[in-house]
Amino acid sequence: MKLGIVGLPNVGKSTLFNSLTKAGAESANYPFCTIDPNIGIVPVPDERLKLLGDMYQSKKVTHAVIEFVDIAGLVKGASKGEGLGNQFLSNIREVDAIVHVVRCFEDANVIHVDGSVDPIRDIETINLELIFSDIEILERRMAKVVRGARNDKTLAKEEDLLKRLKAHLEDGKMAKTFDTEDEDEIGFIGTYNLLTNKPVIFAANVAEDELADDAASNPHVAKVREFAKEDNDGVFVICAQIEQEMAELDDDEKAMFLEELGIAESGLDKLIKASYTLLGLHSFLTAGEDETRAWTIKIGTKAPQAAGKIHTDFERGFIKAEVVNYKDLLEQGSLAAAREKGLVGMEGKEYVVKDGDVILFRFNV
């Protein structure tokens, strides 16, 4: 999974990126200190892996990973060359979802690029820049399509779509709210890789003392939650400063620190949960002496396609999947014991893989 982090300067975007990835992106109290996109790879925390790895005495335990891309601070007018311009937006065209960091804390010592804290204005500023960037993509595609549309029905259909979609964006609306007429149009839009067609998770950055109750009384966060409902976007509350402090701690210290703050989970945990929910993902597991590993798949994936995540040969030569729930496996202490209790199923091509399934694939190529 690949997530792009966007936000106006000084909203806590690079601080959040640093804490999530420990990659040390430069962070300072002035605009444009992030000039190049920073990339960090983060393992997805999953306690099931440690338990299974210990049981099998695995030589290696491999977590699923998320790649974060931190984009330079956008400002109003970036599409017209203000600030650093929007040349860095190309770096997030390939991401699965956008994490949009919005400032929901008041602090006179941290300047706001627009002079006051207003998360909805900030969201709309960024959205407008994403829209402008997408219109540019559509115009470039239109220039190619128009030439052949007279003699090609498919191109003529695409030209009509491009015109309607461009008008939709010019109204200040996101591509994901555009009503498509058929599967062809959905297919066309998928190839454009539009930023405004991507799922969004808003990271509401709050003060430390508002974390414990999930910023229940913060009016800025309430507005962000209301705004997100319209497009079915995700929202999670975070304190980027706290996350940065936690990034320096080991797991035991982190657990104690969270307990002292009265918080159940870290911002990274919240973000990963929100990402998986928004994108409809979950993980199945493979376990053995050599390696215990998590594999991220779409909810609803069938056994052969899940096997293909490991290796294309597994999908091509799929015969059966030997499946046991990780809890049952841990309780029984071995696959053989779970088999004896009738807890292991031999599943075929139509089996839909569930979260926490431990699978041994049988294949022949």
Side-chain angles (χ1 to χ4, degrees):
M1 181 170 28
K2 195 171 181 179
L3 302 176
I5 303 182
V6 298
L8 289 171
N10 298 340
V11 296
K13 182 175 62 68
S14 292
T15 305
L16 175 61
F17 176 81
N18 286 343
S19 59
L20 294 179
T21 63
K22 301 183 189 174
E26 189 182 349
S27 172
N29 185 18
Y30 55 91
F32 315 128
C33 60
T34 314
I35 294 179
D36 294 316
N38 294 283
I39 294 174
I41 308 287
V42 180
V44 174
D46 192 337
E47 61 180 13
R48 302 174 298 190
L49 290 175
K50 185 186 184 314
L51 298 170
L52 287 168
D54 288 347
M55 189 184 97
Y56 276 95
Q57 295 183 318
S58 304
K59 292 173 191 158
K60 191 163 82 165
V61 172
T62 307
H63 289 254
V65 295
I66 294 181
E67 184 175 323
F68 288 103
V69 186
D70 179 32
I71 304 300
L74 289 167
V75 290
K76 189 184 273 183
S79 53
K80 299 180 182 72
E82 292 295 320
L84 295 168
N86 65 5
Q87 68 265 40
F88 302 108
L89 287 176
S90 60
N91 295 301
I92 57 166
R93 289 216 173 265
E94 301 305 317
V95 302
D96 300 302
I98 292 171
V99 180
H100 187 157
V101 185
V102 283
R103 178 171 166 176
C104 294
F105 67 90
E106 303 280 352
D107 185 344
N109 296 317
V110 181
I111 55 172
H112 188 289
V113 74
D114 284 329
S116 63
V117 177
D118 181 347
I120 304 306
R121 177 201 61 209
D122 294 356
I123 289 168
E124 287 171 347
T125 296
I126 293 281
N127 282 355
L128 205 53
E129 295 310 320
L130 301 183
I131 285 169
F132 284 139
S133 183
D134 280 352
I135 287 172
E136 222 174 273
I137 294 287
L138 295 184
E139 285 172 344
R140 265 186 252 150
R141 178 64 193 159
M142 211 180 283
K144 290 178 183 174
V145 166
V146 169
R147 287 197 294 271
R150 285 181 191 173
N151 308 311
D152 186 318
K153 281 183 182 174
T154 305
L155 289 179
K157 185 174 183 178
E158 187 181 358
E159 183 186 8
D160 175 61
L161 166 71
L162 286 164
K163 284 176 181 171
R164 286 185 290 116
L165 183 53
K166 183 168 175 267
H168 180 82
L169 292 176
E170 284 170 344
D171 277 345
K173 297 170 187 165
M174 308 292 269
K176 61 188 168 190
T177 64
F178 179 76
D179 289 327
T180 49
E181 292 180 356
D182 55 29
E183 291 294 321
D184 288 344
E185 292 195 347
I186 293 168
F188 285 138
I189 291 172
T191 64
Y192 306 149
N193 232 344
L194 300 176
L195 297 170
T196 61
N197 201 36
K198 294 185 185 294
V200 174
I201 304 162
F202 292 108
N205 190 12
V206 301
E208 178 185 329
D209 57 7
E210 295 180 308
L211 268 183
D213 68 349
D214 211 32
S217 57
N218 184 314
H220 297 312
V221 175
K223 284 177 188 170
V224 173
R225 286 186 170 127
E226 199 56 40
F227 185 92
K229 264 188 214 168
E230 291 174 29
D231 293 340
N232 294 318
D233 291 325
V235 181
F236 74 105
V237 171
I238 198 164
C239 173
Q241 206 58 51
I242 288 290
E243 292 299 315
Q244 193 164 37
E245 287 173 33
M246 273 198 293
E248 309 303 318
L249 307 175
D250 64 31
D251 289 345
D252 289 341
E253 290 172 326
K254 203 176 286 183
M256 283 170 60
F257 188 52
L258 287 170
E259 202 177 317
E260 281 172 27
L261 291 168
I263 306 165
E265 53 191 354
S266 72
L268 176 60
D269 292 337
K270 284 186 192 175
L271 174 52
I272 288 166
K273 275 188 189 171
S275 308
Y276 271 62
T277 301
L278 192 67
L279 296 170
L281 302 172
H282 62 188
S283 299
F284 74 91
L285 313 163
T286 52
E289 283 182 25
D290 286 335
E291 184 183 38
T292 290
R293 182 165 182 166
W295 305 86
T296 301
I297 53 169
K298 282 264 185 199
I299 293 169
T301 299
K302 291 182 179 176
Q305 288 70 49
K309 286 288 284 185
I310 300 172
H311 198 288
T312 51
D313 284 351
F314 283 28
E315 183 174 358
R316 200 156 43 92
F318 178 87
I319 301 169
K320 288 279 179 190
E322 205 169 349
V323 182
V324 58
N325 179 271
Y326 82 98
K327 283 182 183 170
D328 292 336
L329 181 56
L330 288 167
E331 277 170 19
Q332 299 307 315
S334 73
L335 190 60
R339 275 197 201 106
E340 276 177 33
K341 286 277 174 74
L343 297 168
V344 180
M346 289 300 283
E347 307 291 351
K349 291 183 177 179
E350 293 306 306
Y351 178 72
V352 176
V353 177
K354 298 181 188 73
D355 186 56
D357 277 350
V358 182
I359 306 182
L360 181 62
F361 291 105
R362 306 284 182 198
F363 68 101
N364 182 29
V365 288

Short mmCIF file of all heavy atoms in Angstrom, two decimals, residues 102-123:
data_model
loop_
_atom_site.label_atom_id
_atom_site.label_comp_id
_atom_site.label_asym_id
_atom_site.label_seq_id
_atom_site.Cartn_x
_atom_site.Cartn_y
_atom_site.Cartn_z
N VAL A 102 -4.51 18.19 8.35
CA VAL A 102 -5.12 19.50 8.55
C VAL A 102 -4.87 19.98 9.98
O VAL A 102 -4.94 19.19 10.93
CB VAL A 102 -6.65 19.51 8.25
CG1 VAL A 102 -6.89 19.54 6.77
CG2 VAL A 102 -7.36 18.34 8.87
N ARG A 103 -4.57 21.23 10.10
CA ARG A 103 -4.26 21.80 11.42
C ARG A 103 -5.55 22.11 12.17
O ARG A 103 -6.39 22.88 11.70
CB ARG A 103 -3.42 23.07 11.25
CG ARG A 103 -3.10 23.75 12.57
CD ARG A 103 -2.09 24.84 12.37
NE ARG A 103 -2.02 25.71 13.54
CZ ARG A 103 -1.17 26.72 13.68
NH1 ARG A 103 -0.31 26.99 12.71
NH2 ARG A 103 -1.15 27.46 14.76
N CYS A 104 -5.68 21.50 13.36
CA CYS A 104 -6.85 21.73 14.20
C CYS A 104 -6.43 22.20 15.59
O CYS A 104 -7.15 22.03 16.57
CB CYS A 104 -7.68 20.45 14.30
SG CYS A 104 -8.43 19.94 12.75
N PHE A 105 -5.23 22.75 15.70
CA PHE A 105 -4.74 23.26 16.99
C PHE A 105 -4.40 24.74 16.86
O PHE A 105 -4.02 25.22 15.80
CB PHE A 105 -3.50 22.48 17.45
CG PHE A 105 -2.28 22.67 16.58
CD1 PHE A 105 -1.35 23.69 16.82
CD2 PHE A 105 -2.04 21.82 15.49
CE1 PHE A 105 -0.24 23.87 16.01
CE2 PHE A 105 -0.93 21.99 14.67
CZ PHE A 105 -0.02 23.01 14.93
N GLU A 106 -4.59 25.46 17.98
CA GLU A 106 -4.22 26.88 18.05
C GLU A 106 -2.86 26.98 18.73
O GLU A 106 -2.64 26.36 19.77
CB GLU A 106 -5.26 27.66 18.88
CG GLU A 106 -6.69 27.56 18.38
CD GLU A 106 -7.00 28.48 17.20
OE1 GLU A 106 -6.12 29.31 16.86
OE2 GLU A 106 -8.10 28.36 16.63
N ASP A 107 -1.94 27.73 18.13
CA ASP A 107 -0.62 27.95 18.74
C ASP A 107 -0.01 29.19 18.10
O ASP A 107 0.37 29.17 16.93
CB ASP A 107 0.28 26.73 18.52
CG ASP A 107 1.63 26.85 19.25
OD1 ASP A 107 1.99 27.98 19.65
OD2 ASP A 107 2.31 25.82 19.41
N ALA A 108 0.08 30.24 18.89
CA ALA A 108 0.59 31.52 18.37
C ALA A 108 2.05 31.41 17.93
O ALA A 108 2.54 32.22 17.13
CB ALA A 108 0.46 32.59 19.45
N ASN A 109 2.77 30.39 18.45
CA ASN A 109 4.19 30.24 18.11
C ASN A 109 4.42 29.55 16.78
O ASN A 109 5.53 29.53 16.26
CB ASN A 109 4.91 29.45 19.21
CG ASN A 109 4.90 30.20 20.54
OD1 ASN A 109 5.13 31.41 20.56
ND2 ASN A 109 4.60 29.49 21.61
N VAL A 110 3.37 28.91 16.23
CA VAL A 110 3.51 28.24 14.93
C VAL A 110 2.68 29.00 13.92
O VAL A 110 1.45 29.01 13.96
CB VAL A 110 3.04 26.76 15.00
CG1 VAL A 110 3.21 26.08 13.65
CG2 VAL A 110 3.82 26.01 16.08
N ILE A 111 3.36 29.69 13.00
CA ILE A 111 2.65 30.55 12.05
C ILE A 111 1.80 29.70 11.10
O ILE A 111 2.15 28.58 10.78
CB ILE A 111 3.64 31.42 11.22
CG1 ILE A 111 4.70 30.54 10.52
CG2 ILE A 111 4.29 32.47 12.08
CD1 ILE A 111 5.59 31.30 9.55
N HIS A 112 0.66 30.25 10.70
CA HIS A 112 -0.17 29.59 9.67
C HIS A 112 -0.01 30.40 8.39
O HIS A 112 -0.05 31.64 8.41
CB HIS A 112 -1.64 29.54 10.09
CG HIS A 112 -2.48 28.70 9.17
ND1 HIS A 112 -2.79 29.10 7.90
CD2 HIS A 112 -3.04 27.47 9.32
CE1 HIS A 112 -3.51 28.16 7.31
NE2 HIS A 112 -3.68 27.16 8.16
N VAL A 113 0.16 29.72 7.29
CA VAL A 113 0.43 30.37 6.01
C VAL A 113 -0.69 31.35 5.61
O VAL A 113 -0.46 32.33 4.92
CB VAL A 113 0.70 29.31 4.91
CG1 VAL A 113 -0.57 28.61 4.46
CG2 VAL A 113 1.44 29.90 3.73
N ASP A 114 -1.93 31.10 6.09
CA ASP A 114 -3.04 32.02 5.79
C ASP A 114 -3.45 32.87 6.99
O ASP A 114 -4.50 33.51 6.99
CB ASP A 114 -4.26 31.23 5.28
CG ASP A 114 -4.06 30.78 3.83
OD1 ASP A 114 -3.38 31.51 3.09
OD2 ASP A 114 -4.57 29.72 3.46
N GLY A 115 -2.65 32.83 8.04
CA GLY A 115 -2.85 33.76 9.15
C GLY A 115 -3.81 33.31 10.24
O GLY A 115 -3.86 33.94 11.30
N SER A 116 -4.59 32.27 10.02
CA SER A 116 -5.52 31.80 11.06
C SER A 116 -5.80 30.31 10.87
O SER A 116 -5.55 29.76 9.80
CB SER A 116 -6.85 32.58 10.98
OG SER A 116 -7.47 32.33 9.73
N VAL A 117 -6.33 29.67 11.91
CA VAL A 117 -6.63 28.24 11.84
C VAL A 117 -8.05 28.05 11.34
O VAL A 117 -9.01 28.49 11.96
CB VAL A 117 -6.44 27.57 13.22
CG1 VAL A 117 -6.83 26.10 13.17
CG2 VAL A 117 -5.00 27.72 13.70
N ASP A 118 -8.18 27.42 10.18
CA ASP A 118 -9.48 27.15 9.58
C ASP A 118 -9.33 25.90 8.69
O ASP A 118 -8.98 26.00 7.52
CB ASP A 118 -9.96 28.35 8.75
CG ASP A 118 -11.32 28.14 8.13
OD1 ASP A 118 -11.80 26.98 8.11
OD2 ASP A 118 -11.92 29.11 7.65
N PRO A 119 -9.56 24.71 9.27
CA PRO A 119 -9.27 23.47 8.52
C PRO A 119 -10.07 23.31 7.23
O PRO A 119 -9.54 22.79 6.25
CB PRO A 119 -9.61 22.35 9.52
CG PRO A 119 -10.41 22.99 10.59
CD PRO A 119 -10.03 24.42 10.64
N ILE A 120 -11.32 23.78 7.20
CA ILE A 120 -12.13 23.61 5.99
C ILE A 120 -11.58 24.48 4.86
O ILE A 120 -11.46 24.04 3.72
CB ILE A 120 -13.63 23.92 6.24
CG1 ILE A 120 -14.17 23.04 7.38
CG2 ILE A 120 -14.45 23.72 4.97
CD1 ILE A 120 -13.97 21.54 7.20
N ARG A 121 -11.19 25.71 5.19
CA ARG A 121 -10.54 26.57 4.18
C ARG A 121 -9.27 25.91 3.67
O ARG A 121 -9.00 25.88 2.46
CB ARG A 121 -10.21 27.94 4.81
CG ARG A 121 -9.46 28.90 3.87
CD ARG A 121 -8.73 29.97 4.66
NE ARG A 121 -7.74 29.38 5.56
CZ ARG A 121 -7.35 29.91 6.72
NH1 ARG A 121 -7.88 31.05 7.13
NH2 ARG A 121 -6.45 29.31 7.47
N ASP A 122 -8.48 25.32 4.60
CA ASP A 122 -7.22 24.66 4.21
C ASP A 122 -7.49 23.47 3.29
O ASP A 122 -6.79 23.27 2.29
CB ASP A 122 -6.47 24.18 5.45
CG ASP A 122 -5.97 25.34 6.32
OD1 ASP A 122 -6.14 26.51 5.90
OD2 ASP A 122 -5.40 25.08 7.40
N ILE A 123 -8.51 22.67 3.63
CA ILE A 123 -8.87 21.50 2.81
C ILE A 123 -9.26 21.96 1.41
O ILE A 123 -8.82 21.40 0.41
CB ILE A 123 -10.03 20.70 3.46
CG1 ILE A 123 -9.55 19.98 4.72
CG2 ILE A 123 -10.62 19.68 2.46
CD1 ILE A 123 -10.67 19.40 5.58
#
